[in-house]
Amino acid sequence: MISLPAGCKAYGSRATNQDIRDWFSNWTIDSNNIQLILVLAGTKTSEIDGISAAGLTPISRRYTALADAELFLNGFKNEPKWPLPALPAGISPALISHVAAKLLRLDPLIISAGLFERPTFPHLLIEEDSFGPSNCISQGKSMKKSRVNNLLSKSMLIGKDIKKPLVITECVPGGTTTAQAILTGLGIPVGDFIGSSVIEPPLELKKNIVQEGLNAAQLEESPLPEDLMAAVGDPFQPVAVGLLLGAREAEQPVLLGGGSQMLAILALAITFLKPEKRLHFLRGVSIGTTAWLAEETNAKFTGSNSSFVNLIRLVENHLNIEILAISSGLRFHESTKKVLRDYEIGYIKEGVGAGALVLLSQLNGVSCRELVDNCEKLIDQSGIKSEN
């Protein structure tokens, strides 16, 4: 039996010895041979009170993606253009992603699609700034279908041109709610299992917003994925789906960095494929996430399984597919920094590809102790006060 790195766990119907062996062959490679893409996007869904903890106020959440990307790229600067928004507790997972990406010596590509402000750091603008964030999903008219198709086609061309294994990551405040809307619109009853950046996920609020949007959209019983994204999606989704479809057409393996948002991307991509093409497609796709997200449990609904395990099973059963997801081994129980130990309480769980990048670091021989030490050193350099 192949052993995953320390603390890592595999989930899904493809969590078999052979599938993990194949996964190792795809990703136990020099990090110079990996293409990393971070997609930044915005949705006005994030401005609903209580929907997200990626910033204490609706206004601050407009700039979370920019602040996270700046931290991810540069670490802490004395005078960042986009200061991190205040959080209820903890610290942005972009800190973890920065540490892991630096250890891997990765050169990320940032794609901007639908932000409130244009980034001031190097990025690929995949559409005009004037489009801005998508509308709140409660309207049932998040984006025009022409915009969705444009994002899909452009990102698919980018994906087809990739010559390396691809890691897709994201920062989209409000993105778990749009992911829930997509999966619900596909007919998958996920409302009790999708978490949030909020320590106590606002399940009823999210269900109500999703249902309001789907009711307003008046979609057909089995909507086309483009129509569904236009109704209750966000700009990240067509970009990520296009990248995924294009990269797999180019026969590159793809690691999706995240949780429920990446399950939504995978489900959308599958609906574009004929049934006979799905098995080969999935053989090259996996999800990488953090232990905090993978082990999150809502005791009222999940029973003995985590919410993430239940989500995977629901998607697998509905689409008749098999999924492989792997969580990284990083934990902060013994950290000297309270903002890191807050992860273990349930504040913040994933984002900016933290789980996938830690996982790749571990595959490249980096220990969890080294990752913790580097995260703590970065906090010391930042000047952020962190109680012991």
Side-chain angles (χ1 to χ4, degrees):
M1 181 73 180
I2 290 179
S3 296
L4 290 166
C8 298
K9 297 179 182 179
Y11 305 89
S13 297
R14 285 182 52 224
T16 65
N17 193 38
Q18 183 57 53
D19 285 304
I20 294 174
R21 187 188 304 275
D22 293 341
W23 182 83
F24 265 90
S25 68
N26 284 333
W27 294 103
T28 309
I29 55 177
D30 190 307
S31 56
N32 290 326
N33 293 322
I34 294 174
Q35 176 64 63
L36 169 62
I37 295 180
L38 170 61
V39 183
L40 308 179
T43 166
K44 292 182 180 178
T45 308
S46 67
E47 297 184 343
I48 298 172
D49 285 334
I51 206 77
S52 172
L56 287 178
T57 67
I59 297 298
S60 70
R61 291 194 288 274
R62 293 181 179 181
Y63 311 108
T64 299
L66 291 165
D68 277 356
E70 191 173 40
L71 170 56
F72 170 63
L73 289 171
N74 304 322
F76 288 103
K77 286 184 170 182
N78 291 331
E79 296 181 1
K81 170 65 177 176
W82 307 103
L84 290 173
L87 302 177
I91 193 167
S92 168
L95 177 140
I96 301 171
S97 300
H98 171 78
V99 165
K102 189 173 181 180
L103 289 167
L104 288 165
R105 299 183 301 281
L106 292 174
D107 182 20
L109 169 65
I110 311 294
I111 293 181
S112 168
L115 293 174
F116 289 86
E117 297 281 350
R118 187 169 190 168
T120 51
F121 41 78
H123 66 281
L124 174 62
L125 188 64
I126 203 168
E127 63 178 0
E128 293 298 322
D129 285 328
S130 57
F131 281 101
S134 56
N135 295 322
C136 179
I137 63 169
S138 61
Q139 300 179 22
K141 296 179 181 179
S142 289
M143 299 173 281
K144 291 184 178 180
K145 188 174 178 179
S146 58
R147 181 182 184 185
V148 171
N149 285 330
N150 179 57
L151 291 172
L152 271 169
S153 60
K154 286 185 176 179
S155 56
M156 194 175 298
L157 289 174
I158 295 170
K160 288 179 182 179
D161 198 42
I162 288 174
K163 304 296 192 296
K164 304 176 180 179
L166 172 63
V167 182
I168 301 175
T169 64
E170 56 74 32
C171 186
V172 189
T176 60
T177 305
T178 54
Q180 181 172 326
I182 291 295
L183 292 169
T184 304
L186 289 172
I188 310 174
V190 298
D192 292 331
F193 306 114
I194 289 190
S196 167
S197 55
V198 181
I199 188 169
E200 294 290 341
L203 297 181
E204 292 306 314
L205 172 62
K206 294 174 73 168
K207 286 180 190 177
N208 291 337
I209 296 295
V210 166
Q211 198 55 55
E212 184 179 351
L214 290 172
N215 289 343
Q218 296 185 327
L219 297 166
E220 297 179 1
E221 186 173 344
S222 297
L224 294 173
E226 305 98 311
D227 291 332
L228 186 55
M229 285 186 278
V232 293
D234 63 56
F236 158 71
Q237 293 162 348
V239 173
V241 170
L243 290 171
L244 174 57
L245 290 171
R248 288 301 297 130
E249 189 171 325
E251 293 295 329
Q252 295 300 333
V254 178
L255 179 61
L256 301 171
S260 57
Q261 287 174 261
M262 292 305 177
L263 280 170
I265 295 307
L266 184 55
L268 283 166
I270 287 296
T271 62
F272 280 97
L273 300 173
K274 294 180 179 179
E276 61 269 20
K277 292 184 177 292
R278 294 177 178 180
L279 179 60
H280 176 73
F281 175 87
L282 288 165
R283 288 295 174 194
V285 182
S286 53
I287 295 174
T289 194
T290 65
W292 304 294
L293 188 144
E295 296 175 9
E296 181 183 16
T297 299
N298 184 326
K300 182 178 178 181
F301 299 110
T302 58
S304 59
N305 294 318
S306 72
S307 296
F308 190 54
V309 168
N310 280 294
L311 274 176
I312 291 173
R313 288 181 177 176
L314 285 168
V315 174
E316 285 183 329
N317 292 338
H318 185 82
L319 297 174
N320 193 27
I321 61 173
E322 295 184 344
I323 293 171
L324 173 62
I326 301 177
S327 64
S328 58
L330 180 64
R331 305 304 296 255
F332 288 135
H333 292 291
E334 298 180 0
S335 173
T336 61
K337 307 298 181 184
K338 183 181 182 301
V339 291
L340 295 180
R341 295 198 306 275
D342 284 342
Y343 276 79
E344 301 298 340
I345 303 171
Y347 289 102
I348 315 176
K349 303 166 188 82
E350 170 64 280
V352 199
L357 294 174
V358 167
L359 187 59
L360 293 177
S361 297
Q362 291 186 263
L363 284 179
N364 275 265
V366 178
S367 70
C368 289
R369 183 66 257 174
E370 184 177 357
L371 287 161
V372 172
D373 289 344
N374 277 271
C375 288
E376 292 179 345
K377 288 177 183 176
L378 195 58
I379 291 171
D380 287 337
Q381 295 169 8
S382 72
I384 293 174
K385 293 182 180 180
S386 179
E387 300 173 11
N388 292 335

